[in-house]
Amino acid sequence: MKKLPVLLAYLFTGVLLWSAQPVPYSGKVAINGINFDGEAHFTFALQDKEGKTLWRNGKSKEDTIRVPVTIGRYTVLLGGQGMNVLPPQLFLDHDELYVKVRFDSGDGKGLRHLAPDQLITATPRALVAEVAQTANTVQAGAITKQMLGQDVLSDLNRTVTHNDLSPSIKADLNRTVTASQMAQNTITT
């Protein structure tokens, strides 16, 4: 049962770290009503409802990434693909975020804003919010053994075999104990 708090801390930490992972984003780009096809330079930024930039793909707003576009469609991982990582708290701290996308087709016109900015919807926010709510409301002792799933109970109650032990523990168990290491009168028949 002593393993339960460690197990729960591990699970919550893993999920919280996952929330900072890249977020998929798909879009469409057309020039004068014709779907663009080819590779283009893009910038991505996440802004709050007042238009303040909270994250961008590069160090400056002019840093671009190359993205393949097929029949007008493209997909990127915001916070991945060589971009700046997403701050872990971003979706927890801001209830309304928009993706601002700029696009350069290589036609000499430079970066163009692909308006309107898109509201970030439920996917990353729902995952982060659920974890944050759970992590903030679970009190010590609130989870009982009866609340655990059978798979968790089986794992906690399983027999640890020699193969489960680390090499350092095996070495310690297999070492020779000398008489000088034993306290007097500790071995009885």
Side-chain angles (χ1 to χ4, degrees):
M1 198 60 166
K2 290 180 181 179
K3 293 181 185 179
L4 182 59
V6 174
L7 176 65
L8 292 174
Y10 174 78
L11 291 173
F12 286 130
T13 301
V15 174
L16 284 172
L17 289 175
W18 180 81
S19 69
Q21 294 298 314
V23 173
Y25 176 77
S26 297
K28 183 174 188 248
V29 60
I31 300 172
N32 297 323
I34 299 172
N35 290 333
F36 179 81
D37 200 68
E39 211 170 61
H41 289 271
F42 285 81
T43 67
F44 299 93
L46 294 180
Q47 299 179 327
D48 63 15
K49 55 188 166 193
E50 284 83 34
K52 179 182 176 189
T53 299
L54 304 169
W55 173 88
R56 64 173 41 103
N57 63 276
K59 290 181 181 177
S60 79
K61 68 178 187 174
E62 303 303 318
D63 288 344
T64 63
I65 65 164
R66 290 175 81 65
V67 177
V69 181
T70 305
I71 313 170
R73 304 273 181 202
Y74 64 92
T75 300
V76 295
L77 291 172
L78 300 175
Q81 294 176 243
M83 297 182 198
N84 289 327
V85 296
L86 293 170
Q89 290 290 113
L90 186 64
F91 296 103
L92 289 172
D93 294 343
H94 302 279
D95 61 347
E96 195 172 321
L97 292 172
Y98 294 85
V99 179
K100 180 176 185 172
V101 181
R102 295 186 310 149
F103 160 82
D104 182 353
S105 65
D107 62 1
K109 294 183 180 180
L111 288 166
R112 292 173 255 192
H113 181 210
L114 298 179
D117 297 341
Q118 298 296 308
L119 177 66
I120 295 283
T121 55
T123 305
R125 190 170 318 291
L127 292 171
V128 173
E130 182 178 338
V131 169
Q133 181 63 30
T134 303
N136 289 333
T137 59
V138 175
Q139 300 297 317
I143 299 176
T144 65
K145 185 177 179 181
Q146 291 75 24
M147 298 167 85
L148 299 176
Q150 190 56 49
D151 57 334
V152 174
L153 289 171
S154 295
D155 191 47
L156 290 172
N157 293 321
R158 71 183 172 85
T159 301
V160 176
T161 67
H162 189 264
N163 290 335
D164 296 324
L165 302 175
S166 71
S168 62
I169 292 175
K170 288 178 187 177
D172 189 48
L173 290 173
N174 292 327
R175 70 182 164 84
T176 301
V177 178
T178 64
S180 63
Q181 294 172 311
M182 290 188 252
Q184 277 189 329
N185 299 320
T186 59
I187 301 176
T188 59
T189 56

